[in-house]
Amino acid sequence: MDRVFYTTLAQKSLEGQELDNAACGRILSDSSLEILPLLDAAYQVRKTYFGQEVRVHILNNAQNGHCPEDCHYCAQAKSSKADIEEYGIKTDDEMLKEARTAYSKGASCYCMVFAGRQASQARIDRLKRVLAQIKSEFPDKEICVSTGFVTNEGAVELKQAGLDRLNHNLNTSEAHYPQICTTHTFADRLNTLLAAKSAGLKVCSGMIVGMGEEHADIIDVARRLRSLKAESIPVNLLVPIEGNVLTTQESKLTPDFILRVLCLFRFLNPTAEIRIAAGRELHLRSMEVMALYPANSLFLQGYLNAKGATNARTLQMIKDAGFTIKSEFDINELLKDQILQSDAVSDGSKALLKSLKELRPAIN
């Protein structure tokens, strides 16, 4: 195919122009578009704003289970029968210790995730105390919190306490949202992001691909996040956790399609941190490293409940591809400290879940 289309995609993105629906649709569905020149076009945009740098995030599942919502993709939802290790909110000391560990392993952002519908005032007060403790030790490091719906007032309090980013994923389009959750609406999620923006917080919000959505839904989410000027966009891939309402039986994800989705998000959100998030190891398989050409961020140490690749494997993949990490630690030094462990993330039919030791390393 004529290379003009690929170069035009990169040029328009770099000039701040928003691609039309025809171009977006072609990226996702036109089999005549070759994946390597498409990735290269997205990489030209990624390289302009982020160079060869990969930003590493580490999640702290600060509370597991006990959630009243019925999000069909989530192992912590009331509708899920997944065999997870449930526990209440971790102690302040536990969260602080995990922050220290995350930053020592090269993370540029420490992410605390709390189950539940919304952040009560009691939780806001608790978070303010923890944020102050972490920031007193690591004033230059980023902290991201995911704690359900947040009011305008709550967002302001968290910002004043030192929070850098608020995570609240849109997950899918407004049209498709009733198919994945019935206990809250797309508007509820959007309002939390607007509260965060109003308070001056950076916004971390993305989607889960593979939940039965149409291409138009993916395009809609990418456009919505562009309009919100989301600074951080995690692109998750539906993880097949046994017991969840949604599994990959509903998903027809292929490495080629996932890479196309990442390119689309990069073209529509050129200056955003695009993160290849949950499910990357499982669904991209041997093509995993190619995700780093449109995306410039990933997670270490797995996800909320599902296992991920070992730190050693992920860091080695970054190094082998010629990328660096955003950290004061050299990637070679970090690799020296890694212990060889099992790298299995699935038994072939379902995702492997984290053990309590993996979920709560600070008390083991």
Side-chain angles (χ1 to χ4, degrees):
M1 167 172 278
D2 188 346
R3 293 298 189 260
V4 172
F5 180 72
Y6 303 107
T7 56
T8 300
L9 291 174
Q11 181 180 357
K12 286 186 174 181
S13 183
L14 288 169
E15 292 174 352
Q17 298 182 47
E18 186 171 1
L19 301 181
D20 60 26
N21 281 336
C24 292
R26 285 194 69 191
I27 290 169
L28 295 181
S29 62
D30 187 346
S31 60
S32 71
L33 290 182
E34 301 171 44
I35 193 62
L36 287 180
L38 188 63
L39 284 169
D40 181 63
Y43 174 64
Q44 299 311 312
V45 181
R46 179 237 203 269
K47 183 173 66 172
T48 297
Y49 294 105
F50 301 101
Q52 297 293 101
E53 192 174 76
V54 176
R55 299 185 178 184
V56 172
H57 294 235
I58 291 180
L59 284 170
N60 173 7
N61 197 349
Q63 176 190 0
N64 203 25
H66 310 292
C67 186
E69 304 303 287
D70 75 346
C71 306
H72 299 344
Y73 51 83
C74 183
Q76 301 186 50
K78 69 176 184 180
S79 54
S80 176
K81 296 180 174 58
D83 185 23
I84 63 172
E85 298 278 3
E86 293 190 319
Y87 50 83
I89 297 178
K90 294 177 179 178
T91 65
D92 294 10
D93 186 58
E94 198 176 345
M95 287 186 272
L96 179 58
K97 286 180 179 178
E98 290 191 41
R100 290 174 183 148
T101 300
Y103 295 135
S104 72
K105 292 185 181 297
S108 63
C109 187
Y110 172 58
C111 313
M112 293 185 286
V113 183
F114 299 80
R117 179 179 175 83
Q118 62 188 16
S120 64
Q121 187 58 50
R123 181 174 293 184
I124 294 288
D125 292 339
R126 176 81 178 280
L127 274 170
K128 286 162 61 177
R129 187 171 70 238
V130 174
L131 287 167
Q133 291 174 325
I134 297 173
K135 279 295 184 180
S136 68
E137 285 196 37
F138 305 98
D140 299 325
K141 294 292 188 179
E142 282 199 320
I143 305 173
C144 181
V145 163
S146 179
T147 184
F149 305 134
V150 176
T151 63
N152 291 333
E153 296 77 14
V156 169
E157 288 189 64
L158 291 173
K159 171 66 175 177
Q160 292 174 342
L163 184 64
D164 300 291
R165 295 184 182 184
L166 185 78
N167 167 262
H168 202 66
N169 291 330
L170 290 178
N171 289 323
T172 194
S173 71
E174 185 170 12
H176 189 60
Y177 206 84
Q179 306 304 312
I180 68 163
C181 182
T182 66
T183 50
H184 61 262
T185 66
F186 182 90
D188 291 327
R189 288 187 170 267
L190 184 60
N191 287 338
T192 287
L193 295 177
L194 293 174
K197 295 292 286 188
S198 177
L201 288 165
K202 294 179 182 178
V203 162
C204 175
S205 183
M207 78 174 300
I208 303 172
V209 183
M211 299 193 294
E213 71 281 341
E214 302 293 333
H215 290 178
D217 297 305
I218 298 173
I219 295 168
D220 182 75
V221 175
R223 289 195 189 284
R224 181 82 69 160
L225 293 171
R226 177 188 176 95
S227 69
L228 286 168
K229 296 182 172 61
E231 289 87 354
S232 179
I233 302 176
V235 178
N236 299 281
L237 313 168
L238 183 65
V239 175
I241 294 178
E242 187 175 34
N244 283 358
V245 175
L246 284 177
T247 70
T248 48
Q249 292 177 359
E250 289 79 21
S251 170
K252 297 179 181 178
L253 298 178
T254 64
D256 176 84
F257 181 70
I258 294 164
L259 293 173
R260 288 169 179 268
V261 170
L262 291 171
C263 289
L264 175 74
F265 271 84
R266 174 54 69 203
F267 292 131
L268 288 177
N269 298 276
T271 63
E273 177 182 344
I274 306 293
R275 184 154 53 263
I276 178 60
R280 72 167 197 264
E281 303 95 335
L282 183 68
H283 293 293
L284 282 167
R285 300 188 291 279
S286 62
M287 298 289 283
E288 183 184 347
V289 70
M290 305 306 290
L292 294 178
Y293 290 88
N296 66 299
S297 175
L298 47 64
F299 283 114
L300 282 183
Q301 298 186 186
Y303 311 101
L304 286 183
N305 288 102
K307 289 178 179 285
T310 61
N311 290 4
R313 175 176 173 257
T314 300
L315 292 172
Q316 192 69 56
M317 176 183 72
I318 293 170
K319 178 186 174 183
D320 288 348
F323 291 97
T324 61
I325 62 170
K326 180 181 173 62
S327 174
E328 70 269 30
F329 299 104
D330 182 81
I331 194 168
N332 293 304
E333 292 301 315
L334 291 171
L335 279 166
K336 287 180 183 178
D337 293 336
Q338 299 305 313
I339 300 172
L340 292 177
Q341 302 170 355
S342 170
D343 205 31
V345 299
S346 170
D347 68 357
S349 62
K350 62 182 182 297
L352 297 179
L353 298 180
K354 288 181 174 178
S355 66
L356 189 59
K357 182 177 181 180
E358 291 168 309
L359 288 163
R360 308 191 73 173
I363 61 171
N364 287 282

PDB file of all heavy atoms in Angstrom, residues 47 59 109 175 177 179 182 186 196-197 206 251 276 287 291 303 305 314 319 338 345 351 364:
ATOM      1  N   LYS A  47       7.690   8.817  19.923  1.00  0.00           N
ATOM      2  CA  LYS A  47       9.078   9.238  20.068  1.00  0.00           C
ATOM      3  C   LYS A  47       9.179  10.748  20.215  1.00  0.00           C
ATOM      4  O   LYS A  47      10.036  11.249  20.962  1.00  0.00           O
ATOM      5  CB  LYS A  47       9.887   8.761  18.855  1.00  0.00           C
ATOM      6  CG  LYS A  47      11.369   9.088  18.948  1.00  0.00           C
ATOM      7  CD  LYS A  47      12.150   8.436  17.814  1.00  0.00           C
ATOM      8  CE  LYS A  47      11.769   9.011  16.470  1.00  0.00           C
ATOM      9  NZ  LYS A  47      12.655   8.512  15.378  1.00  0.00           N
ATOM     10  N   LEU A  59       1.118  -1.337  40.981  1.00  0.00           N
ATOM     11  CA  LEU A  59      -0.175  -1.261  41.661  1.00  0.00           C
ATOM     12  C   LEU A  59      -0.097  -1.793  43.087  1.00  0.00           C
ATOM     13  O   LEU A  59       0.550  -2.804  43.345  1.00  0.00           O
ATOM     14  CB  LEU A  59      -1.220  -2.090  40.908  1.00  0.00           C
ATOM     15  CG  LEU A  59      -1.801  -1.533  39.613  1.00  0.00           C
ATOM     16  CD1 LEU A  59      -2.621  -2.618  38.917  1.00  0.00           C
ATOM     17  CD2 LEU A  59      -2.680  -0.331  39.892  1.00  0.00           C
ATOM     18  N   CYS A 109       5.524   5.849  39.147  1.00  0.00           N
ATOM     19  CA  CYS A 109       4.217   6.162  39.720  1.00  0.00           C
ATOM     20  C   CYS A 109       3.742   4.990  40.572  1.00  0.00           C
ATOM     21  O   CYS A 109       3.775   3.840  40.128  1.00  0.00           O
ATOM     22  CB  CYS A 109       3.199   6.459  38.622  1.00  0.00           C
ATOM     23  SG  CYS A 109       1.599   7.060  39.227  1.00  0.00           S
ATOM     24  N   ALA A 175     -22.537   4.204  25.117  1.00  0.00           N
ATOM     25  CA  ALA A 175     -23.571   3.350  24.514  1.00  0.00           C
ATOM     26  C   ALA A 175     -23.474   1.912  24.995  1.00  0.00           C
ATOM     27  O   ALA A 175     -24.498   1.246  25.207  1.00  0.00           O
ATOM     28  CB  ALA A 175     -23.450   3.407  22.988  1.00  0.00           C
ATOM     29  N   TYR A 177     -22.017   0.885  27.844  1.00  0.00           N
ATOM     30  CA  TYR A 177     -21.834   0.750  29.287  1.00  0.00           C
ATOM     31  C   TYR A 177     -22.904  -0.099  29.981  1.00  0.00           C
ATOM     32  O   TYR A 177     -22.574  -0.908  30.870  1.00  0.00           O
ATOM     33  CB  TYR A 177     -21.742   2.125  29.963  1.00  0.00           C
ATOM     34  CG  TYR A 177     -20.967   2.036  31.249  1.00  0.00           C
ATOM     35  CD1 TYR A 177     -19.584   2.097  31.241  1.00  0.00           C
ATOM     36  CD2 TYR A 177     -21.609   1.801  32.466  1.00  0.00           C
ATOM     37  CE1 TYR A 177     -18.850   1.941  32.401  1.00  0.00           C
ATOM     38  CE2 TYR A 177     -20.896   1.645  33.626  1.00  0.00           C
ATOM     39  CZ  TYR A 177     -19.512   1.714  33.597  1.00  0.00           C
ATOM     40  OH  TYR A 177     -18.795   1.536  34.742  1.00  0.00           O
ATOM     41  N   GLN A 179     -24.169  -2.716  29.150  1.00  0.00           N
ATOM     42  CA  GLN A 179     -23.898  -4.136  28.929  1.00  0.00           C
ATOM     43  C   GLN A 179     -22.840  -4.682  29.888  1.00  0.00           C
ATOM     44  O   GLN A 179     -22.700  -5.900  30.017  1.00  0.00           O
ATOM     45  CB  GLN A 179     -23.424  -4.372  27.488  1.00  0.00           C
ATOM     46  CG  GLN A 179     -24.360  -3.824  26.432  1.00  0.00           C
ATOM     47  CD  GLN A 179     -25.765  -4.366  26.569  1.00  0.00           C
ATOM     48  OE1 GLN A 179     -25.962  -5.573  26.709  1.00  0.00           O
ATOM     49  NE2 GLN A 179     -26.753  -3.481  26.523  1.00  0.00           N
ATOM     50  N   THR A 182     -24.598  -2.498  35.779  1.00  0.00           N
ATOM     51  CA  THR A 182     -25.968  -1.987  35.978  1.00  0.00           C
ATOM     52  C   THR A 182     -26.119  -1.175  37.259  1.00  0.00           C
ATOM     53  O   THR A 182     -27.156  -0.555  37.471  1.00  0.00           O
ATOM     54  CB  THR A 182     -26.981  -3.155  36.022  1.00  0.00           C
ATOM     55  OG1 THR A 182     -26.732  -3.954  37.187  1.00  0.00           O
ATOM     56  CG2 THR A 182     -26.891  -4.020  34.775  1.00  0.00           C
ATOM     57  N   PHE A 186     -22.326   5.403  33.068  1.00  0.00           N
ATOM     58  CA  PHE A 186     -21.186   6.047  32.432  1.00  0.00           C
ATOM     59  C   PHE A 186     -21.052   7.478  32.933  1.00  0.00           C
ATOM     60  O   PHE A 186     -19.942   7.960  33.193  1.00  0.00           O
ATOM     61  CB  PHE A 186     -21.377   6.032  30.913  1.00  0.00           C
ATOM     62  CG  PHE A 186     -20.244   6.629  30.133  1.00  0.00           C
ATOM     63  CD1 PHE A 186     -19.184   5.848  29.714  1.00  0.00           C
ATOM     64  CD2 PHE A 186     -20.251   7.979  29.791  1.00  0.00           C
ATOM     65  CE1 PHE A 186     -18.141   6.389  28.979  1.00  0.00           C
ATOM     66  CE2 PHE A 186     -19.206   8.534  29.059  1.00  0.00           C
ATOM     67  CZ  PHE A 186     -18.154   7.739  28.650  1.00  0.00           C
ATOM     68  N   ALA A 196     -12.046  15.599  39.145  1.00  0.00           N
ATOM     69  CA  ALA A 196     -10.589  15.562  39.243  1.00  0.00           C
ATOM     70  C   ALA A 196      -9.958  16.687  38.435  1.00  0.00           C
ATOM     71  O   ALA A 196      -9.041  17.374  38.909  1.00  0.00           O
ATOM     72  CB  ALA A 196     -10.071  14.211  38.766  1.00  0.00           C
ATOM     73  N   LYS A 197     -10.433  16.876  37.206  1.00  0.00           N
ATOM     74  CA  LYS A 197      -9.903  17.941  36.371  1.00  0.00           C
ATOM     75  C   LYS A 197     -10.130  19.306  37.009  1.00  0.00           C
ATOM     76  O   LYS A 197      -9.241  20.163  37.011  1.00  0.00           O
ATOM     77  CB  LYS A 197     -10.558  17.908  34.991  1.00  0.00           C
ATOM     78  CG  LYS A 197     -10.258  16.686  34.156  1.00  0.00           C
ATOM     79  CD  LYS A 197      -8.818  16.602  33.712  1.00  0.00           C
ATOM     80  CE  LYS A 197      -8.494  17.577  32.611  1.00  0.00           C
ATOM     81  NZ  LYS A 197      -7.136  17.365  32.054  1.00  0.00           N
ATOM     82  N   GLY A 206      -8.860   4.969  31.246  1.00  0.00           N
ATOM     83  CA  GLY A 206      -8.724   4.203  30.020  1.00  0.00           C
ATOM     84  C   GLY A 206      -9.903   3.291  29.794  1.00  0.00           C
ATOM     85  O   GLY A 206     -11.014   3.556  30.254  1.00  0.00           O
ATOM     86  N   SER A 251     -14.514 -12.308  24.073  1.00  0.00           N
ATOM     87  CA  SER A 251     -13.431 -11.550  23.453  1.00  0.00           C
ATOM     88  C   SER A 251     -12.864 -12.280  22.248  1.00  0.00           C
ATOM     89  O   SER A 251     -12.689 -13.491  22.271  1.00  0.00           O
ATOM     90  CB  SER A 251     -12.318 -11.320  24.488  1.00  0.00           C
ATOM     91  OG  SER A 251     -11.175 -10.799  23.871  1.00  0.00           O
ATOM     92  N   ILE A 276       0.101   0.087  28.135  1.00  0.00           N
ATOM     93  CA  ILE A 276      -0.393  -1.247  27.811  1.00  0.00           C
ATOM     94  C   ILE A 276      -0.523  -1.966  29.143  1.00  0.00           C
ATOM     95  O   ILE A 276       0.467  -2.282  29.806  1.00  0.00           O
ATOM     96  CB  ILE A 276       0.520  -1.977  26.798  1.00  0.00           C
ATOM     97  CG1 ILE A 276      -0.017  -3.375  26.524  1.00  0.00           C
ATOM     98  CG2 ILE A 276       1.975  -1.977  27.205  1.00  0.00           C
ATOM     99  CD1 ILE A 276      -1.403  -3.414  25.942  1.00  0.00           C
ATOM    100  N   MET A 287       4.113 -11.089  20.585  1.00  0.00           N
ATOM    101  CA  MET A 287       4.122  -9.735  20.023  1.00  0.00           C
ATOM    102  C   MET A 287       4.125  -8.668  21.115  1.00  0.00           C
ATOM    103  O   MET A 287       4.021  -7.474  20.816  1.00  0.00           O
ATOM    104  CB  MET A 287       2.889  -9.541  19.132  1.00  0.00           C
ATOM    105  CG  MET A 287       2.822 -10.474  17.940  1.00  0.00           C
ATOM    106  SD  MET A 287       4.062 -10.066  16.698  1.00  0.00           S
ATOM    107  CE  MET A 287       3.297  -8.633  15.949  1.00  0.00           C
ATOM    108  N   ALA A 291       4.110  -3.620  21.541  1.00  0.00           N
ATOM    109  CA  ALA A 291       3.208  -2.639  22.155  1.00  0.00           C
ATOM    110  C   ALA A 291       3.959  -1.396  22.608  1.00  0.00           C
ATOM    111  O   ALA A 291       3.355  -0.327  22.772  1.00  0.00           O
ATOM    112  CB  ALA A 291       2.474  -3.268  23.335  1.00  0.00           C
ATOM    113  N   TYR A 303      -1.334  -7.198  38.210  1.00  0.00           N
ATOM    114  CA  TYR A 303      -2.476  -6.306  38.203  1.00  0.00           C
ATOM    115  C   TYR A 303      -3.205  -6.429  39.541  1.00  0.00           C
ATOM    116  O   TYR A 303      -2.619  -6.846  40.531  1.00  0.00           O
ATOM    117  CB  TYR A 303      -3.324  -6.619  36.979  1.00  0.00           C
ATOM    118  CG  TYR A 303      -2.432  -6.666  35.753  1.00  0.00           C
ATOM    119  CD1 TYR A 303      -2.016  -7.885  35.209  1.00  0.00           C
ATOM    120  CD2 TYR A 303      -1.894  -5.490  35.222  1.00  0.00           C
ATOM    121  CE1 TYR A 303      -1.123  -7.916  34.144  1.00  0.00           C
ATOM    122  CE2 TYR A 303      -0.997  -5.520  34.161  1.00  0.00           C
ATOM    123  CZ  TYR A 303      -0.617  -6.733  33.627  1.00  0.00           C
ATOM    124  OH  TYR A 303       0.271  -6.763  32.597  1.00  0.00           O
ATOM    125  N   ASN A 305      -5.757  -8.445  40.740  1.00  0.00           N
ATOM    126  CA  ASN A 305      -5.869  -9.820  41.218  1.00  0.00           C
ATOM    127  C   ASN A 305      -5.132 -10.823  40.349  1.00  0.00           C
ATOM    128  O   ASN A 305      -4.811 -11.919  40.807  1.00  0.00           O
ATOM    129  CB  ASN A 305      -7.341 -10.228  41.325  1.00  0.00           C
ATOM    130  CG  ASN A 305      -8.053  -9.548  42.469  1.00  0.00           C
ATOM    131  OD1 ASN A 305      -8.791  -8.586  42.277  1.00  0.00           O
ATOM    132  ND2 ASN A 305      -7.834 -10.025  43.694  1.00  0.00           N
ATOM    133  N   THR A 314       9.972  -8.433  32.280  1.00  0.00           N
ATOM    134  CA  THR A 314       9.482  -7.174  31.735  1.00  0.00           C
ATOM    135  C   THR A 314      10.619  -6.184  31.525  1.00  0.00           C
ATOM    136  O   THR A 314      10.726  -5.548  30.471  1.00  0.00           O
ATOM    137  CB  THR A 314       8.417  -6.569  32.665  1.00  0.00           C
ATOM    138  OG1 THR A 314       7.316  -7.483  32.787  1.00  0.00           O
ATOM    139  CG2 THR A 314       7.898  -5.254  32.109  1.00  0.00           C
ATOM    140  N   LYS A 319      14.682  -3.445  27.931  1.00  0.00           N
ATOM    141  CA  LYS A 319      16.098  -3.245  27.591  1.00  0.00           C
ATOM    142  C   LYS A 319      16.428  -3.815  26.213  1.00  0.00           C
ATOM    143  O   LYS A 319      17.105  -3.160  25.408  1.00  0.00           O
ATOM    144  CB  LYS A 319      16.979  -3.893  28.657  1.00  0.00           C
ATOM    145  CG  LYS A 319      18.470  -3.766  28.363  1.00  0.00           C
ATOM    146  CD  LYS A 319      19.311  -4.540  29.371  1.00  0.00           C
ATOM    147  CE  LYS A 319      20.785  -4.514  28.981  1.00  0.00           C
ATOM    148  NZ  LYS A 319      21.620  -5.308  29.906  1.00  0.00           N
ATOM    149  N   GLN A 338      16.828  -8.703  40.540  1.00  0.00           N
ATOM    150  CA  GLN A 338      15.649  -9.537  40.347  1.00  0.00           C
ATOM    151  C   GLN A 338      15.950 -11.005  40.608  1.00  0.00           C
ATOM    152  O   GLN A 338      17.018 -11.506  40.267  1.00  0.00           O
ATOM    153  CB  GLN A 338      15.087  -9.359  38.926  1.00  0.00           C
ATOM    154  CG  GLN A 338      14.640  -7.939  38.613  1.00  0.00           C
ATOM    155  CD  GLN A 338      13.644  -7.402  39.605  1.00  0.00           C
ATOM    156  OE1 GLN A 338      12.668  -8.059  39.957  1.00  0.00           O
ATOM    157  NE2 GLN A 338      13.887  -6.178  40.067  1.00  0.00           N
ATOM    158  N   VAL A 345       1.247 -16.756  33.754  1.00  0.00           N
ATOM    159  CA  VAL A 345       0.137 -15.848  34.043  1.00  0.00           C
ATOM    160  C   VAL A 345      -1.215 -16.515  33.795  1.00  0.00           C
ATOM    161  O   VAL A 345      -2.248 -15.972  34.128  1.00  0.00           O
ATOM    162  CB  VAL A 345       0.234 -14.554  33.199  1.00  0.00           C
ATOM    163  CG1 VAL A 345       1.513 -13.812  33.511  1.00  0.00           C
ATOM    164  CG2 VAL A 345       0.141 -14.857  31.708  1.00  0.00           C
ATOM    165  N   ALA A 351      -6.972 -16.925  33.871  1.00  0.00           N
ATOM    166  CA  ALA A 351      -5.860 -16.199  34.467  1.00  0.00           C
ATOM    167  C   ALA A 351      -5.534 -16.774  35.834  1.00  0.00           C
ATOM    168  O   ALA A 351      -6.420 -17.239  36.559  1.00  0.00           O
ATOM    169  CB  ALA A 351      -6.213 -14.719  34.594  1.00  0.00           C
ATOM    170  N   ASN A 364       4.349 -10.065  54.888  1.00  0.00           N
ATOM    171  CA  ASN A 364       4.782 -11.452  54.736  1.00  0.00           C
ATOM    172  C   ASN A 364       6.301 -11.543  54.863  1.00  0.00           C
ATOM    173  O   ASN A 364       7.008 -10.585  54.660  1.00  0.00           O
ATOM    174  CB  ASN A 364       4.343 -12.005  53.381  1.00  0.00           C
ATOM    175  CG  ASN A 364       2.848 -12.253  53.344  1.00  0.00           C
ATOM    176  OD1 ASN A 364       2.357 -13.248  53.870  1.00  0.00           O
ATOM    177  ND2 ASN A 364       2.095 -11.326  52.743  1.00  0.00           N
TER     178      ASN A 364
END
